[in-house]
Amino acid sequence: MKDFKMSRVNVYTILRDLVFNFWVIVLAVITGFVGSICYYNYIHKNTYVSSMTVSINLNGYTTEATALSLARTVVIAETLDDVFQSKALMDVVRKDIGDNITGTISAKQLGETNLVRISVSDISPEKAYEMLVSVYNNYDKVTDYVFNNVIIRTVANPTMPTAPSGGISVRTTSILWALIAGVIVTAIIVLISFMRDTVKNVSDVENELNTKLFGTVCHVKKMGHNLPASKRKLVVTNPLVGFSFANSFRKIAVKLESLRRTKGINALMVTSVAENEGKTSCSVNIAISLAQNGYNVLLLDC
């Protein structure tokens, strides 16, 4: 893998690839949106939670012993979670409402207090509520064997859940997944554009082709078709081609003069790997630039 070089980052190439593959990004966004809707409507199962709150109290403590009582009840509340999730309580609930139990029981201490929230989670709000009511009616059959002199009082009665746990909005979630899919595909296109082993700028010519760059010819936009043919020729003597285009060939001509003096090179071949890449235009303009500097030039079109 080639080392990362900032010269490889070409904004024009990246934007061109993004525009060319814009339909892929749109398709990814649509797929993410539709796929998310299908998942939440047909595959995902919402979870409903029915809950109640109980307080843990000790029997027989006087007002003077309130601090000690609270300290002990807090410790008991910490272990109540294991009791409510025990197999013994599940067996009692199963015997009460039948074997078709799909929900789960949990208990959570509310801070460092003697309050415990007991919850039942199920895919059906009715089943969650029914199971919690059974826990409410039968928990003493298990807790009385575990804790002595403990009174469990109900602070908040079981409630029927009216909405799924978490409050997920299918529309909002689908839009979010659509945006994520679009961002991921866009990032992949940008990464592929950066990693593609092609010439993206002038500095890449020597790095990618393993050769020496002799000169760079500036791009000229196509001139209007309403101009006569003589005015649309891409030659350095045409004032409409612009200074940058003409100056590109003047620089090449200067380099060729230097090669002639230092290495005795008198012949130059212009070629390319495909048709219509500008071989004739380059040859003619190099010949004209050399001729303008006083050299006798022979141009052969083979």
Side-chain angles (χ1 to χ4, degrees):
M1 183 176 178
K2 295 186 178 181
D3 297 334
F4 175 80
K5 296 180 180 180
M6 286 302 299
S7 61
R8 295 283 298 162
V9 179
N10 187 278
V11 177
Y12 170 78
T13 304
I14 293 175
L15 291 178
R16 185 192 62 185
D17 289 341
L18 288 175
V19 172
F20 182 76
N21 295 286
F22 182 73
W23 66 274
V24 179
I25 300 175
V26 173
L27 183 61
V29 171
I30 295 174
T31 302
F33 183 80
V34 176
S36 179
I37 289 179
C38 293
Y39 171 77
Y40 282 105
N41 287 336
Y42 302 104
I43 300 176
H44 177 73
K45 294 181 179 180
N46 293 319
T47 302
Y48 294 86
V49 179
S50 181
S51 61
M52 69 176 183
T53 304
V54 299
S55 64
I56 310 300
N57 303 278
L58 295 181
N59 188 21
Y61 274 77
T62 61
T63 305
E64 291 76 10
T66 300
L68 178 60
S69 173
L70 180 60
R72 292 193 59 185
T73 55
V74 169
V75 174
I76 294 173
E78 293 176 355
T79 62
L80 196 64
D81 187 15
D82 295 333
V83 176
F84 276 93
Q85 295 183 100
S86 65
K87 183 178 180 298
L89 182 59
M90 287 295 293
D91 291 340
V92 172
V93 173
R94 186 177 290 107
K95 185 177 180 180
D96 180 43
I97 63 177
D99 294 333
N100 188 22
I101 294 180
T102 58
T104 57
I105 305 172
S106 63
K108 182 179 181 181
Q109 183 183 15
L110 301 180
E112 295 183 357
T113 67
N114 64 331
L115 299 178
V116 177
R117 177 172 294 164
I118 304 169
S119 304
V120 173
S121 303
D122 206 316
I123 59 175
S124 169
E126 293 81 8
K127 289 185 177 181
Y129 178 72
E130 181 186 9
M131 189 172 175
L132 183 63
V133 171
S134 179
V135 172
Y136 171 72
N137 294 328
N138 297 283
Y139 67 82
D140 56 335
K141 296 179 181 179
V142 177
T143 56
D144 288 349
Y145 289 100
V146 179
F147 303 111
N148 295 322
N149 297 326
V150 173
I151 302 175
I152 301 178
R153 295 190 176 94
T154 303
V155 178
N157 292 324
T159 57
M160 172 77 76
T162 57
S165 176
I168 298 176
S169 172
V170 176
R171 181 182 178 86
T172 303
T173 306
S174 299
I175 293 175
L176 177 62
W177 278 111
L179 293 176
I180 292 175
V183 170
I184 291 175
V185 172
T186 300
I188 292 174
I189 293 174
V190 172
L191 181 62
I192 293 175
S193 177
F194 169 75
M195 296 299 296
R196 190 168 59 245
D197 198 17
T198 58
V199 175
K200 299 182 178 67
N201 47 50
V202 174
S203 61
D204 283 348
V205 174
E206 295 185 353
N207 297 329
E208 299 300 318
L209 301 182
N210 194 25
T211 187
K212 187 176 181 179
L213 180 64
F214 191 76
T216 304
V217 179
C218 297
H219 175 70
V220 177
K221 294 182 179 180
K222 293 183 178 179
M223 289 174 280
H225 295 287
N226 56 337
L227 295 174
S230 60
K231 298 293 185 179
R232 287 188 277 114
K233 292 180 179 180
L234 291 177
V235 292
V236 294
T237 54
N238 184 358
L240 297 179
V241 297
F243 173 79
S244 298
F245 180 80
N247 194 49
S248 299
F249 288 102
R250 294 192 185 101
K251 290 181 178 180
I252 294 175
V254 171
K255 289 185 177 181
L256 290 174
E257 293 174 12
S258 176
L259 289 175
R260 180 179 179 276
R261 291 193 304 268
T262 57
K263 297 185 179 181
I265 295 177
N266 294 314
L268 172 68
M269 181 176 69
V270 180
T271 185
S272 69
V273 296
E275 298 180 353
N276 298 322
E277 291 191 334
K279 296 183 291 294
T280 302
S281 297
C282 288
S283 302
V284 170
N285 285 296
I286 292 173
I288 294 175
S289 300
L290 289 171
Q292 288 177 336
N293 293 341
Y295 290 93
N296 295 322
V297 183
L298 175 62
L299 178 60
L300 297 178
D301 189 359
C302 302

